[in-house]
Amino acid sequence: MESSIPELLLAGSRLMLIGMTIVFLFLALLVGVIHVTSRLIGRYSPDEPVALKPAGAIPVRSAGGEDEAEIVAAITAAIHRYQNK
């Protein structure tokens, strides 16, 4: 059962059109879902965003020269150890 070139081109064009339509509809649906989700989050989220601290965050005090000197010494020692590896 041999098909001619124009029949194959027509079948390929139909398949391409169906595939492109499905992808377009999926992307349009995805954009719609993201838009609705964004509105819901905006409606039910608090007005002011809460600043979260990283898991291993160490509070740094701005006052106190002795604490700063210890921090600088620790950072210097860590850099020195890293460079001598």
Side-chain angles (χ1 to χ4, degrees), residues 13-78:
S13 297
R14 284 184 192 151
L15 184 61
M16 180 186 69
L17 188 63
I18 290 170
M20 289 176 69
T21 303
I22 289 172
V23 168
F24 177 79
L25 291 175
F26 174 76
L27 291 176
L29 179 68
L30 185 64
V31 167
V33 168
I34 289 174
H35 182 71
V36 168
T37 304
S38 172
R39 285 193 173 218
L40 287 174
I41 289 173
R43 179 178 295 165
Y44 295 113
S45 67
D47 293 335
E48 302 257 346
V50 178
L52 300 176
K53 293 182 181 178
I58 300 172
V60 178
R61 290 175 249 158
S62 60
E66 187 175 317
D67 289 339
E68 289 181 14
E70 289 178 9
I71 292 172
V72 170
I75 292 172
T76 305

